[in-house]
Amino acid sequence: MNMLALRAVLAALLLGTSLSGCSFLPLFDTCEGTEAAVAELDRLPALDLHPEGAVAVSGEPWSGAHCVDDTAGAWLTADRFYAYGGTRREVVEYYGREASAAGWRPVNSLDRELGLGFVVFCFESADRPSITLSFTSPEQLQEFYGMQPHPAELLGVEARTLYSWSAEAQPDGSRMDC
């Protein structure tokens, strides 16, 4: 097939799908009308799981639920941020047990290197939103959010581990893969 014929076939295919209401490009979701799904995600019982002694850091940008709308589409997120006196390994072991008991399974091995600055673990359930456990350093929090003082200082606790436990879902509240 010569180049001119190939171009004609592609143009006809594009025009035909446009006129029929079909498209090769997916329509992106937006945050419009997601308030109920955001509120429901924020009440997900698994978000209440945390090791004894972990203290929640509340308020923006640390905790809460909202819809994120960017150039790649929209999704829902509900976050909980914690300051904890124990180690990252203790946090991972806790969620490995408790999230699994609640019906979420880790997507990858939980035996990763925990000494890195930013580490993320994802848990999935067959019919519920995915949940992410992520660790970060005070320096990264300063860089990401530009906030001082250290979140643990806001709470008056001594914390050597800072982490977030968050759920992510499609704009309608349905399951989203890790």
Side-chain angles (χ1 to χ4, degrees):
M1 181 180 284
N2 67 27
M3 190 55 89
L4 186 57
L6 179 61
R7 287 182 183 162
V9 168
L10 289 174
L13 193 56
L14 264 168
L15 180 62
T17 58
S18 297
L19 294 175
S20 69
C22 297
S23 174
F24 292 120
L25 300 174
L27 296 176
F28 294 114
D29 291 320
T30 68
C31 288
E32 189 174 324
T34 61
E35 295 81 8
V38 168
E40 184 176 335
L41 184 65
D42 199 36
R43 291 187 301 268
L44 189 67
L47 288 176
D48 294 332
L49 297 172
H50 62 276
E52 187 175 329
V55 179
V57 180
S58 61
E60 285 292 325
W62 312 110
S63 296
H66 59 278
C67 181
V68 177
D69 192 354
D70 68 13
T71 57
W75 69 92
L76 310 180
T77 183
D79 304 307
R80 305 294 186 266
F81 189 83
Y82 292 96
Y84 181 62
T87 66
R88 287 182 175 195
R89 178 151 310 282
E90 290 169 342
V91 172
V92 168
E93 288 172 356
Y94 172 84
Y95 285 109
R97 277 189 320 273
E98 299 302 318
S100 294
W104 276 266
R105 64 172 179 73
V107 172
N108 295 312
S109 169
L110 295 179
D111 292 326
R112 285 191 187 165
E113 176 57 48
L114 294 174
L116 301 173
F118 189 78
V119 181
V120 177
F121 299 95
C122 193
F123 297 78
E124 287 185 335
S125 175
D127 57 351
R128 294 176 285 181
S130 61
I131 300 180
T132 303
L133 170 64
S134 59
F135 296 96
T136 192
S137 69
E139 296 78 24
Q140 289 167 326
L141 291 174
Q142 171 65 27
E143 180 183 335
F144 296 154
Y145 300 111
M147 300 189 89
Q148 292 241 302
H150 185 290
E153 292 174 21
L154 294 172
L155 299 169
V157 298
E158 189 167 326
R160 52 191 241 202
T161 302
L162 300 170
Y163 72 93
S164 66
W165 181 238
S166 60
E168 291 80 30
Q170 298 291 337
D172 64 359
S174 64
R175 181 182 185 277
M176 186 166 131
D177 293 337
C178 290

